[in-house]
Amino acid sequence: MAIERIYLDWNATAPLMAAARDAMLDALAMPGNPSSVHAEGRAARAVIEKARRAVATLVGAEAAHVTFTASATEAANQVLSPVYRMGKSRVGLGRLYVSAIEHPAVRAGGRFPKELVTELAVTPAGLIDLDALTSTLAGHDASEGLPVVAVMLVNNETGIIQPIREVSAIVKKLGGLLVVDAVQAAGRIPLSIADVGADFMILSAHKLGGPKGVGALVSKGETFMPEPLVRGGGQEKGHRAGTENLPAIAGFGAAAERMSADLLNRNAGIAALRDRAEAGMLSTAPETVIYGRSEARVGNTSFFHLPGLKAETGQIAFDLEGLALSAGAACSSGKVGASHVLTAMGEDAATGALRLSIGPDTTESDIDRFLGAFVKIAARRKPAGQAA
């Protein structure tokens, strides 16, 4: 008999929620192009604008400041540009500064040449080093143009919440532009682009329970925007050409609307399940290392290392037990390697770590299944220093 599968990898992709699926099916049946002026086109446009309002509400932004893209990666490539426009004027930006724990989509630097990308240090606790940020930006050559700083609000591996308001205060004081990757934060903590102090925010639908293949770039205003990455027609106010992916955008909007509702109560319950899992792991194997446990984290994520067990071996072992976990960021198909996040924190990343990430559909029974598998896997591992 087949083992019942338990999905514990929500940070990679959240399962598509029913409301998003229903919205997508309805949109698939609509024949109109959102740019057409006839009734069918206007109906399609209304779906997009409803979704735009829902996404804006999720992050405390204006609907007019939401640009839909094909993914968060595309949004990152759009906003991380050395050339912006203010009206008809072109404005050159001097250098990009990214933290050492960013997602590969941001660490790649977007459209900035590699020689104009500087990495920012983090502390051993996995937090942006504010002193290093201050000294680095203080040394920026203003004659090159404005500095751009890109920082994630919630780390996708550890779940650690970054001191983003302090980061923003430093960036603004030193005349920079702040881009915040909010992919893992949206729907998990209360968000407001103004309170965060971001100039731009990057979002992804499939981390929320929406479909894959759609993201958004949210801006503080409309007057200062990066040059378009995808050129052509005038869709998305000229910021992103191409006929909009109506079903995907509809699903994004439905997921955003659902995740905005009852956010605090829902996530408190999720955090209680995560804490149950961590307490069980430490009870079974007190030597288990849980990264970021002493810092503020989102409630759905646990990034842990069991001495004597390689991440890849552990991932396969849990998979054979019917449990889907990951070994960190899901950015390359089939790739399990050393965590750049752990390396940046000064940890030994050679054997890696495993990430448990859960969501609204996770149950106590799921956590019990995980802990049962953890007991068996912990008992089979080799002694420390002889990692399996």
mmCIF file of all heavy atoms in Angstrom, residues 165-195:
data_model
loop_
_atom_site.group_PDB
_atom_site.id
_atom_site.type_symbol
_atom_site.label_atom_id
_atom_site.label_comp_id
_atom_site.label_asym_id
_atom_site.label_seq_id
_atom_site.Cartn_x
_atom_site.Cartn_y
_atom_site.Cartn_z
ATOM 1 N N ARG A 165 13.357 47.896 9.143
ATOM 2 C CA ARG A 165 13.168 49.329 9.399
ATOM 3 C C ARG A 165 14.507 50.008 9.688
ATOM 4 O O ARG A 165 14.737 51.138 9.251
ATOM 5 C CB ARG A 165 12.182 49.534 10.546
ATOM 6 C CG ARG A 165 10.752 49.122 10.191
ATOM 7 C CD ARG A 165 9.801 49.330 11.368
ATOM 8 N NE ARG A 165 8.446 48.914 11.012
ATOM 9 C CZ ARG A 165 8.010 47.669 11.104
ATOM 10 N NH1 ARG A 165 8.824 46.710 11.526
ATOM 11 N NH2 ARG A 165 6.761 47.362 10.775
ATOM 12 N N GLU A 166 15.370 49.305 10.416
ATOM 13 C CA GLU A 166 16.693 49.865 10.685
ATOM 14 C C GLU A 166 17.516 49.940 9.396
ATOM 15 O O GLU A 166 18.233 50.917 9.171
ATOM 16 C CB GLU A 166 17.428 49.012 11.729
ATOM 17 C CG GLU A 166 16.844 49.093 13.123
ATOM 18 C CD GLU A 166 15.746 48.067 13.366
ATOM 19 O OE1 GLU A 166 15.159 47.566 12.379
ATOM 20 O OE2 GLU A 166 15.463 47.779 14.545
ATOM 21 N N VAL A 167 17.385 48.910 8.563
ATOM 22 C CA VAL A 167 18.068 48.927 7.268
ATOM 23 C C VAL A 167 17.585 50.118 6.449
ATOM 24 O O VAL A 167 18.385 50.868 5.868
ATOM 25 C CB VAL A 167 17.807 47.614 6.500
ATOM 26 C CG1 VAL A 167 18.291 47.731 5.057
ATOM 27 C CG2 VAL A 167 18.496 46.448 7.193
ATOM 28 N N SER A 168 16.278 50.317 6.417
ATOM 29 C CA SER A 168 15.709 51.421 5.642
ATOM 30 C C SER A 168 16.214 52.778 6.140
ATOM 31 O O SER A 168 16.559 53.658 5.341
ATOM 32 C CB SER A 168 14.180 51.379 5.712
ATOM 33 O OG SER A 168 13.614 52.482 5.038
ATOM 34 N N ALA A 169 16.269 52.936 7.465
ATOM 35 C CA ALA A 169 16.728 54.210 8.020
ATOM 36 C C ALA A 169 18.154 54.521 7.589
ATOM 37 O O ALA A 169 18.485 55.668 7.234
ATOM 38 C CB ALA A 169 16.623 54.178 9.547
ATOM 39 N N ILE A 170 19.011 53.502 7.574
ATOM 40 C CA ILE A 170 20.398 53.694 7.155
ATOM 41 C C ILE A 170 20.473 54.029 5.671
ATOM 42 O O ILE A 170 21.174 54.957 5.249
ATOM 43 C CB ILE A 170 21.227 52.427 7.462
ATOM 44 C CG1 ILE A 170 21.341 52.233 8.979
ATOM 45 C CG2 ILE A 170 22.619 52.515 6.834
ATOM 46 C CD1 ILE A 170 21.881 50.866 9.383
ATOM 47 N N VAL A 171 19.727 53.266 4.862
ATOM 48 C CA VAL A 171 19.749 53.483 3.413
ATOM 49 C C VAL A 171 19.254 54.884 3.069
ATOM 50 O O VAL A 171 19.854 55.585 2.237
ATOM 51 C CB VAL A 171 18.897 52.411 2.697
ATOM 52 C CG1 VAL A 171 18.764 52.733 1.214
ATOM 53 C CG2 VAL A 171 19.521 51.028 2.884
ATOM 54 N N LYS A 172 18.166 55.304 3.709
ATOM 55 C CA LYS A 172 17.603 56.618 3.396
ATOM 56 C C LYS A 172 18.531 57.745 3.856
ATOM 57 O O LYS A 172 18.704 58.756 3.164
ATOM 58 C CB LYS A 172 16.226 56.777 4.041
ATOM 59 C CG LYS A 172 15.192 55.766 3.563
ATOM 60 C CD LYS A 172 15.058 55.766 2.064
ATOM 61 C CE LYS A 172 14.134 54.687 1.586
ATOM 62 N NZ LYS A 172 14.068 54.594 0.122
ATOM 63 N N LYS A 173 19.132 57.568 5.027
ATOM 64 C CA LYS A 173 20.034 58.598 5.543
ATOM 65 C C LYS A 173 21.212 58.814 4.608
ATOM 66 O O LYS A 173 21.703 59.943 4.444
ATOM 67 C CB LYS A 173 20.532 58.195 6.933
ATOM 68 C CG LYS A 173 21.460 59.217 7.577
ATOM 69 C CD LYS A 173 21.890 58.768 8.965
ATOM 70 C CE LYS A 173 22.834 59.781 9.599
ATOM 71 N NZ LYS A 173 23.271 59.352 10.973
ATOM 72 N N LEU A 174 21.645 57.730 3.959
ATOM 73 C CA LEU A 174 22.804 57.808 3.077
ATOM 74 C C LEU A 174 22.398 57.924 1.603
ATOM 75 O O LEU A 174 23.212 57.709 0.710
ATOM 76 C CB LEU A 174 23.713 56.603 3.306
ATOM 77 C CG LEU A 174 24.322 56.563 4.728
ATOM 78 C CD1 LEU A 174 25.015 55.261 4.994
ATOM 79 C CD2 LEU A 174 25.299 57.730 4.920
ATOM 80 N N GLY A 175 21.124 58.263 1.369
ATOM 81 C CA GLY A 175 20.684 58.619 0.023
ATOM 82 C C GLY A 175 20.459 57.482 -0.932
ATOM 83 O O GLY A 175 20.538 57.661 -2.153
ATOM 84 N N GLY A 176 20.161 56.280 -0.407
ATOM 85 C CA GLY A 176 19.993 55.127 -1.285
ATOM 86 C C GLY A 176 18.551 54.763 -1.574
ATOM 87 O O GLY A 176 17.608 55.343 -1.034
ATOM 88 N N LEU A 177 18.399 53.769 -2.450
ATOM 89 C CA LEU A 177 17.111 53.225 -2.858
ATOM 90 C C LEU A 177 17.022 51.819 -2.258
ATOM 91 O O LEU A 177 17.965 51.038 -2.365
ATOM 92 C CB LEU A 177 17.054 53.151 -4.381
ATOM 93 C CG LEU A 177 15.714 52.969 -5.077
ATOM 94 C CD1 LEU A 177 14.867 54.235 -4.932
ATOM 95 C CD2 LEU A 177 15.958 52.673 -6.556
ATOM 96 N N LEU A 178 15.890 51.485 -1.622
ATOM 97 C CA LEU A 178 15.768 50.183 -0.965
ATOM 98 C C LEU A 178 14.764 49.282 -1.680
ATOM 99 O O LEU A 178 13.600 49.643 -1.854
ATOM 100 C CB LEU A 178 15.338 50.361 0.492
ATOM 101 C CG LEU A 178 15.148 49.060 1.287
ATOM 102 C CD1 LEU A 178 16.453 48.274 1.372
ATOM 103 C CD2 LEU A 178 14.605 49.359 2.689
ATOM 104 N N VAL A 179 15.255 48.105 -2.091
ATOM 105 C CA VAL A 179 14.413 47.072 -2.695
ATOM 106 C C VAL A 179 14.282 45.937 -1.682
ATOM 107 O O VAL A 179 15.287 45.413 -1.200
ATOM 108 C CB VAL A 179 15.034 46.533 -4.001
ATOM 109 C CG1 VAL A 179 14.197 45.376 -4.553
ATOM 110 C CG2 VAL A 179 15.177 47.645 -5.026
ATOM 111 N N VAL A 180 13.052 45.568 -1.346
ATOM 112 C CA VAL A 180 12.809 44.525 -0.354
ATOM 113 C C VAL A 180 12.174 43.312 -1.024
ATOM 114 O O VAL A 180 11.124 43.418 -1.657
ATOM 115 C CB VAL A 180 11.899 45.040 0.780
ATOM 116 C CG1 VAL A 180 11.496 43.893 1.700
ATOM 117 C CG2 VAL A 180 12.603 46.132 1.568
ATOM 118 N N ASP A 181 12.824 42.167 -0.878
ATOM 119 C CA ASP A 181 12.266 40.889 -1.319
ATOM 120 C C ASP A 181 11.327 40.420 -0.209
ATOM 121 O O ASP A 181 11.774 39.994 0.853
ATOM 122 C CB ASP A 181 13.404 39.890 -1.549
ATOM 123 C CG ASP A 181 12.919 38.475 -1.839
ATOM 124 O OD1 ASP A 181 11.696 38.237 -1.829
ATOM 125 O OD2 ASP A 181 13.772 37.598 -2.063
ATOM 126 N N ALA A 182 10.024 40.519 -0.476
ATOM 127 C CA ALA A 182 9.018 40.141 0.522
ATOM 128 C C ALA A 182 8.341 38.824 0.178
ATOM 129 O O ALA A 182 7.261 38.526 0.677
ATOM 130 C CB ALA A 182 7.975 41.247 0.649
ATOM 131 N N VAL A 183 8.988 38.022 -0.653
ATOM 132 C CA VAL A 183 8.385 36.779 -1.145
ATOM 133 C C VAL A 183 7.976 35.856 0.005
ATOM 134 O O VAL A 183 6.879 35.294 0.007
ATOM 135 C CB VAL A 183 9.354 36.063 -2.110
ATOM 136 C CG1 VAL A 183 8.938 34.615 -2.343
ATOM 137 C CG2 VAL A 183 9.420 36.806 -3.433
ATOM 138 N N GLN A 184 8.855 35.680 1.007
ATOM 139 C CA GLN A 184 8.556 34.765 2.107
ATOM 140 C C GLN A 184 7.845 35.453 3.268
ATOM 141 O O GLN A 184 7.453 34.791 4.232
ATOM 142 C CB GLN A 184 9.845 34.106 2.614
ATOM 143 C CG GLN A 184 10.565 33.252 1.601
ATOM 144 C CD GLN A 184 9.830 31.962 1.258
ATOM 145 O OE1 GLN A 184 8.881 31.565 1.936
ATOM 146 N NE2 GLN A 184 10.275 31.287 0.205
ATOM 147 N N ALA A 185 7.670 36.766 3.176
ATOM 148 C CA ALA A 185 7.018 37.510 4.252
ATOM 149 C C ALA A 185 5.533 37.709 4.008
ATOM 150 O O ALA A 185 4.733 37.676 4.950
ATOM 151 C CB ALA A 185 7.695 38.872 4.416
ATOM 152 N N ALA A 186 5.158 37.897 2.752
ATOM 153 C CA ALA A 186 3.763 38.200 2.419
ATOM 154 C C ALA A 186 2.838 37.073 2.858
ATOM 155 O O ALA A 186 3.071 35.909 2.561
ATOM 156 C CB ALA A 186 3.630 38.440 0.919
ATOM 157 N N GLY A 187 1.821 37.423 3.615
ATOM 158 C CA GLY A 187 0.878 36.437 4.111
ATOM 159 C C GLY A 187 1.292 35.776 5.402
ATOM 160 O O GLY A 187 0.511 35.039 6.005
ATOM 161 N N ARG A 188 2.528 36.035 5.854
ATOM 162 C CA ARG A 188 3.026 35.403 7.075
ATOM 163 C C ARG A 188 3.244 36.403 8.215
ATOM 164 O O ARG A 188 3.226 36.024 9.381
ATOM 165 C CB ARG A 188 4.330 34.643 6.783
ATOM 166 C CG ARG A 188 4.066 33.450 5.880
ATOM 167 C CD ARG A 188 5.305 32.720 5.472
ATOM 168 N NE ARG A 188 4.955 31.637 4.555
ATOM 169 C CZ ARG A 188 5.745 31.141 3.639
ATOM 170 N NH1 ARG A 188 6.984 31.611 3.506
ATOM 171 N NH2 ARG A 188 5.333 30.173 2.847
ATOM 172 N N ILE A 189 3.486 37.650 7.859
ATOM 173 C CA ILE A 189 3.567 38.714 8.857
ATOM 174 C C ILE A 189 2.829 39.927 8.288
ATOM 175 O O ILE A 189 2.711 40.072 7.065
ATOM 176 C CB ILE A 189 5.028 39.098 9.200
ATOM 177 C CG1 ILE A 189 5.795 39.524 7.949
ATOM 178 C CG2 ILE A 189 5.734 37.947 9.907
ATOM 179 C CD1 ILE A 189 7.208 40.022 8.241
ATOM 180 N N PRO A 190 2.312 40.807 9.159
ATOM 181 C CA PRO A 190 1.661 42.023 8.647
ATOM 182 C C PRO A 190 2.656 42.847 7.842
ATOM 183 O O PRO A 190 3.811 42.998 8.235
ATOM 184 C CB PRO A 190 1.240 42.756 9.926
ATOM 185 C CG PRO A 190 1.175 41.684 10.976
ATOM 186 C CD PRO A 190 2.253 40.705 10.624
ATOM 187 N N LEU A 191 2.206 43.380 6.710
ATOM 188 C CA LEU A 191 3.106 44.099 5.809
ATOM 189 C C LEU A 191 2.513 45.417 5.364
ATOM 190 O O LEU A 191 1.329 45.507 5.047
ATOM 191 C CB LEU A 191 3.388 43.260 4.556
ATOM 192 C CG LEU A 191 4.574 42.305 4.555
ATOM 193 C CD1 LEU A 191 4.730 41.685 3.173
ATOM 194 C CD2 LEU A 191 5.848 43.018 4.937
ATOM 195 N N SER A 192 3.354 46.421 5.318
ATOM 196 C CA SER A 192 3.008 47.708 4.732
ATOM 197 C C SER A 192 4.272 48.263 4.096
ATOM 198 O O SER A 192 5.300 48.398 4.776
ATOM 199 C CB SER A 192 2.495 48.687 5.794
ATOM 200 O OG SER A 192 2.538 50.014 5.307
ATOM 201 N N ILE A 193 4.221 48.556 2.816
ATOM 202 C CA ILE A 193 5.413 49.035 2.130
ATOM 203 C C ILE A 193 5.918 50.327 2.756
ATOM 204 O O ILE A 193 7.126 50.559 2.841
ATOM 205 C CB ILE A 193 5.158 49.203 0.616
ATOM 206 C CG1 ILE A 193 6.476 49.468 -0.120
ATOM 207 C CG2 ILE A 193 4.111 50.252 0.333
ATOM 208 C CD1 ILE A 193 6.362 49.386 -1.640
ATOM 209 N N ALA A 194 5.004 51.160 3.259
ATOM 210 C CA ALA A 194 5.411 52.410 3.895
ATOM 211 C C ALA A 194 6.078 52.152 5.241
ATOM 212 O O ALA A 194 7.124 52.733 5.555
ATOM 213 C CB ALA A 194 4.202 53.327 4.067
ATOM 214 N N ASP A 195 5.481 51.270 6.061
ATOM 215 C CA ASP A 195 6.058 50.977 7.377
ATOM 216 C C ASP A 195 7.419 50.299 7.250
ATOM 217 O O ASP A 195 8.324 50.545 8.057
ATOM 218 C CB ASP A 195 5.115 50.079 8.179
ATOM 219 C CG ASP A 195 3.863 50.808 8.636
ATOM 220 O OD1 ASP A 195 3.837 52.048 8.538
ATOM 221 O OD2 ASP A 195 2.909 50.124 9.069
#
